[in-house]
Amino acid sequence: MKDVQINKIAVVGTGVIGNGWIARALAQGFDVIATDPAEGAEDRMREAVDRAWPSLTKSGLAPTASRERLTFTSDIETAVEDADLIQENVPEREELKRKVLQTIDTFAKKDAIIASSTSGIKPTVLQQDCMYPERVIVAHPFNPVYILPLVEIVGGEKTNSSVLERAVAIYEKLNMKPLVIRHEIEGHVADRLMEALWREALHLVNDGIATTEEVDAAIIYGAGLRWAQMGPFLTFHLAGGDQGMRHMLGQFGPALKLPWTKLEAPELTEELKEKVIQGCEQQAGNTSIAELEEKRNEFLVRLLDLVEEYRTESESIS
């Protein structure tokens, strides 16, 4: 890991993702300053951190971890002026993000890294209004940010390669697994994969082939269990027997030409929306969202321990 000095992290936007970043940074022992113009944002932020803290405690807190290291201001200039890393998390609207990033770029110190949590917009688009675009990147996390370690690091046309190297080192200090995307593309990598599965899932529900519960079961008790350890490529490598992927592609490759899946998403009609909504509500039953989040967090903490136990040195992504 490249040695980098990082003292303060600024988080701009305190929605679900922003608060996840805050909780993770605090748990790793950093000073965090957050900003959000919305009324009641500070109270919601502190409540979110408190809810995340039990899961972070189970995962293991840094010796210097403390919720007391969190401050809040409604003034974005004050928030970013002396931060080493600024993580932007405003709503996923290109015009708004560009405006906010331009403001951050104006007031941040010149050696600060400015990162957007965008799930789909290219960094080249986001950095075009900035005076110092070379330090603007995408650092896309996954919900819940305070538990899931993957962060996709993406540079734009004007991003300096040294900034990407520093970013990787910083996110490793946040106990994350940085994945540097070689070429920027809408949706990056992980969301494009999830989007393909989501489109097919909607078709299956729309066509009456399976309910939301049945689709979830197909992943939970099938592909999901294997993917948590190996991902799709090594899973198929094993499916090829002793010859691995070589046999797999020879045996099952032709099936890729069969029209099993649909590339385009179905029209999101009112009927389809109700099928999905009612299906999810039936699955959840009387369990509240807060209770579901608590169960999810407990499961993910235990699952990550198991994933790390079975990973090999050759499986590092950074």
Side-chain angles (χ1 to χ4, degrees):
M1 185 197 312
K2 182 178 180 179
D3 187 33
V4 294
Q5 185 67 30
I6 175 171
N7 297 311
K8 181 182 287 187
I9 295 173
V11 175
V12 179
T14 58
V16 172
I17 299 301
N19 288 334
W21 278 116
I22 292 167
R24 175 176 281 275
L26 292 172
Q28 296 304 316
F30 292 102
D31 290 322
V32 180
I33 183 167
T35 184
D36 194 310
E39 184 177 351
E42 181 176 5
D43 289 339
R44 290 191 295 272
M45 172 195 71
R46 295 191 183 278
E47 289 171 4
V49 171
D50 287 343
R51 288 196 304 271
W53 210 252
S55 296
L56 289 163
T57 302
K58 290 178 183 178
S59 297
L61 299 172
T64 54
S66 172
R67 283 170 281 185
E68 300 302 316
R69 303 184 72 164
L70 173 61
T71 57
F72 181 89
T73 176
S74 58
D75 180 31
I76 191 171
E77 178 181 351
T78 301
V80 306
E81 61 185 359
D82 63 347
D84 302 296
L85 171 68
I86 299 134
Q87 191 76 37
E88 170 273 309
N89 313 276
V90 302
E92 195 79 353
R93 299 198 299 272
E94 180 185 320
E95 184 178 353
L96 174 61
K97 281 188 176 291
R98 285 174 55 181
K99 182 178 179 181
V100 170
L101 288 167
Q102 183 182 37
T103 301
I104 293 171
D105 181 61
T106 300
F107 295 109
K109 59 184 184 179
K110 291 184 179 180
D111 62 344
I113 291 180
I114 302 172
S116 173
S117 295
T118 179
S119 59
I121 306 173
K122 290 181 178 182
T124 293
V125 173
L126 296 175
Q127 65 187 194
Q128 59 186 339
D129 302 313
C130 297
M131 292 175 58
Y132 305 102
E134 66 276 1
R135 43 87 168 268
V136 177
I137 65 170
V138 163
H140 173 234
F142 296 83
N143 188 40
V145 182
Y146 53 90
I147 296 179
L148 295 183
L150 182 64
V151 56
E152 294 177 315
I153 307 294
V154 195
E157 291 177 359
K158 297 181 179 179
T159 303
N160 192 302
S161 60
S162 65
V163 170
L164 293 176
E165 292 177 7
R166 285 175 55 215
V168 167
I170 287 173
Y171 289 107
E172 285 179 343
K173 282 181 176 287
L174 285 169
N175 198 27
M176 303 191 82
K177 301 287 187 183
L179 174 61
V180 178
I181 309 302
R182 292 179 175 84
H183 304 286
E184 60 179 334
I185 186 173
E186 292 90 347
H188 321 315
V189 171
D191 272 2
R192 292 177 74 93
L193 295 171
M194 289 188 289
E195 184 76 10
L197 183 61
W198 174 233
R199 286 195 298 268
E200 192 63 27
L202 288 174
H203 275 294
L204 292 171
V205 172
N206 191 51
D207 296 344
I209 295 168
T211 64
T212 60
E213 184 173 14
E214 290 165 346
V215 170
D216 282 354
I219 297 298
I220 292 169
Y221 300 112
L225 288 172
R226 299 181 299 184
W227 289 346
Q229 183 189 5
M230 293 188 173
F233 280 106
L234 272 184
T235 294
F236 282 131
H237 184 58
L238 289 182
D242 290 340
Q243 293 183 326
M245 184 61 78
R246 188 175 301 279
H247 177 71
M248 169 66 192
L249 292 177
Q251 183 80 358
F252 300 104
L256 294 173
K257 294 291 187 181
L258 298 177
W260 285 1
T261 57
K262 301 179 181 181
L263 296 178
E264 294 185 2
E267 182 180 351
L268 201 57
T269 62
E270 291 301 316
E271 181 182 4
L272 175 55
K273 285 193 284 189
E274 281 305 309
K275 281 185 179 181
V276 173
I277 292 168
Q278 291 179 22
C280 291
E281 290 177 346
Q282 182 178 350
Q283 284 179 255
N286 295 323
T287 307
S288 69
I289 294 295
E291 290 171 322
L292 286 172
E293 286 180 345
E294 185 177 349
K295 289 182 178 181
R296 175 203 64 189
N297 291 354
E298 181 179 349
F299 173 81
L300 289 174
V301 169
R302 295 175 64 181
L303 180 61
L304 277 171
D305 287 340
L306 190 62
V307 169
E308 289 302 313
E309 181 181 345
Y310 280 85
R311 284 185 66 84
T312 65
E313 292 183 4
S314 64
E315 292 175 311
S316 174
I317 62 173
S318 62

